[in-house]
Every structure is written in C-alpha cells, then in structure tokens.
Amino acid sequence: MKVKDAFVFFCGEGFVKRDIYIENGIFVGSGFDEDVIDAEDLYMLPGLIDTHLHGCAGADFCDGIQEALRTMAEYQAENGITTILPAAMTLDDKTLARAFSVAAEYVGTGADIYGINMEGPYLSYAKRGAQSGKFLRLPEMEHFNEMQRAARGKIKLVSVAPELNGAIEFIEQCGVRVSIAHTEADYETTVKAFGAGAKNVTHLFNAMPPFLHRAPGVIGAAADCEDITVELICD
C-alpha cells in the first residue's frame, strides 16, 4: 500500500510531505503502487498514547465491566489513540480490585490496553481534589501488592504524595513507574522522591502547591531534575 502526499510527522523535523509505503502492516522504504491512498493535505503521525484516562463516551474504567472498557478503547482508537492506560479513582478496595481484574482479562477491539494507571489512594487529603477522602490511605507495599495481584501485574503507573509516611520507601520498592500527584510536598521532598525513583508528575500545577520564588515546590523540582515526565491539563 502507498499513502501518497501526506504530511508525515518525523521527530526533529516536524511534518514533511512525502509518500509512505506499508507492507503487511509494517512501514517499508518502498513498495508497489497498486493500492494507493491519496492523502493530499492530510496529516499522518504515530498513534497517540493516553496514560491518564478515567473514562469517555459515557463509560468509566471503575465501572468494572468489559463493556465500559470496550467503549473506551473503541472511542480512543477512533480518535487516533492506539494505546491507553485507563486510570482508577480513589475508591474502596473491592471496587478497585474488580476494575483491575476486568482490565487484566480484557480482550477486545479498539486501542490496546497496555496497563493500568492507579491514581489513588496514596494521596494527600488536603490536595485530594475530586478523589474521595474516605478511601485515602498511606502507601504500603502489602496493599499495593494486593491490588497488583488483582490486576495480574497490569498496574504500570501508580500515583503517590511523597510527603506521606512511608512514601519514599514505597517509591523505592513498588517496582512500577511512580507519579507525584495530589500532594503538599515541598521542593526538597519532591527531589528526594525523584531520587528514590519517581519519574512522573500528574497534572502539573493542579493539586499541588503553586510555584513561588522562595518555595518552588513540585513544579520547580520537576524543572530541575532530569528525565521527569509531566502531565498538563491543556484545556
């Protein structure tokens, strides 16, 4: 297959007008032209990855049913997102375990469910935002391992407020990517969390102290430390 005259995205170059050849579902350098798609004035880019998705199209991940996951995955695929990490809210253990188990068993159409984003419950009460304060708790490996067993190892990202008791040790031990989130942490505590292995910040500027010249907080620490990925709520 040949995709003709598309504006194709290349890292470091942006969008470049060129032809693309696909053979057996794989991009190749050249090919036959019998099957041609005219992409004049259209843009072609790699499938997007959504790592923080609670729900869409009337479905919610924490509904804990296959139909909800299928609705989410198919809607995302229709909008150019090929891989997702559906995100949990801070809820009771039974609800979370059910949602995680359903995600682990999911086989369906649409975007690929690479893993689970466990946003709660290891968060600050003062910065809980839309998270339920009733189910917040300190980060503990025993609890996380219980949730990971329900998820059959599919939890790939977990959020932590690093100022909580035991949080630094949890970050060092949990074995998955950690995101700083819903937190009152200061600059020094956040730097310590990054040193322990945290690599993400959930919705930068939201549910955390503001950036101040004498108290740069999480925002300043994320800017100063290397290899940190941050989310932004862009609306």
Side-chain angles (χ1 to χ4, degrees):
M1 176 187 292
K2 177 181 179 181
V3 182
K4 180 182 176 183
D5 293 332
F7 289 105
V8 182
F9 182 81
F10 289 90
C11 289
E13 298 182 56
F15 287 97
V16 179
K17 192 167 189 176
R18 60 166 292 179
D19 298 339
I20 292 292
Y21 295 90
I22 302 169
E23 187 175 309
N24 298 322
I26 298 174
F27 293 116
V28 294
S30 61
F32 298 105
D33 299 348
E34 288 88 351
D35 190 5
V36 178
I37 295 175
D38 185 357
E40 180 76 28
D41 296 327
L42 299 179
Y43 290 84
M44 189 172 182
L45 63 160
L48 301 176
I49 301 172
D50 191 341
T51 62
H52 192 156
L53 169 72
H54 292 286
C56 59
D60 191 293
F61 172 59
C62 289
D63 290 344
I65 55 176
Q66 292 280 329
E67 290 78 7
L69 284 176
R70 185 172 296 105
T71 296
M72 292 168 61
E74 291 180 352
Y75 176 85
Q76 294 291 82
E78 290 170 1
N79 289 276
I81 297 162
T82 55
T83 302
I84 60 174
L85 271 73
M89 295 289 287
T90 300
L91 298 168
D92 62 278
D93 286 355
K94 183 178 180 180
T95 300
L96 289 178
R98 183 176 67 247
F100 294 165
S101 177
V102 168
E105 297 170 355
Y106 178 76
V107 177
T109 56
D112 176 54
I113 298 178
Y114 171 73
I116 296 165
N117 177 348
M118 185 177 172
E119 190 175 2
Y122 314 132
L123 310 173
S124 161
Y125 184 87
K127 295 293 185 180
R128 65 191 182 280
Q131 304 287 340
S132 172
K134 180 179 179 180
F135 301 112
L136 293 175
R137 60 184 298 154
L138 296 177
E140 298 172 344
M141 283 304 305
E142 182 178 354
H143 179 262
F144 178 74
N145 287 337
E146 180 183 346
M147 294 296 102
Q148 188 69 294
R149 283 193 293 272
R152 301 182 189 176
K154 292 277 283 187
I155 298 171
K156 303 295 185 181
L157 182 66
V158 59
S159 293
V160 177
E163 73 275 15
L164 298 178
N165 289 338
I168 300 301
E169 293 78 8
F170 177 86
I171 293 169
E172 292 173 337
Q173 297 171 17
C174 74
V176 303
R177 195 171 183 92
V178 175
S179 189
I180 304 304
H182 292 271
T183 176
E184 292 188 288
D186 58 17
Y187 178 93
E188 290 75 17
T189 301
T190 307
V191 169
K192 189 174 181 180
F194 289 151
K199 291 295 183 183
N200 278 61
V201 179
T202 299
H203 40 59
L204 191 74
F205 296 100
N206 295 90
M208 64 187 61
F211 178 80
L212 301 173
H213 70 294
R214 293 185 184 275
V218 176
I219 300 162
D224 283 350
C225 295
E226 295 183 357
D227 300 323
I228 303 302
T229 300
V230 303
E231 295 178 0
L232 287 173
I233 300 175
C234 296
D235 57 359

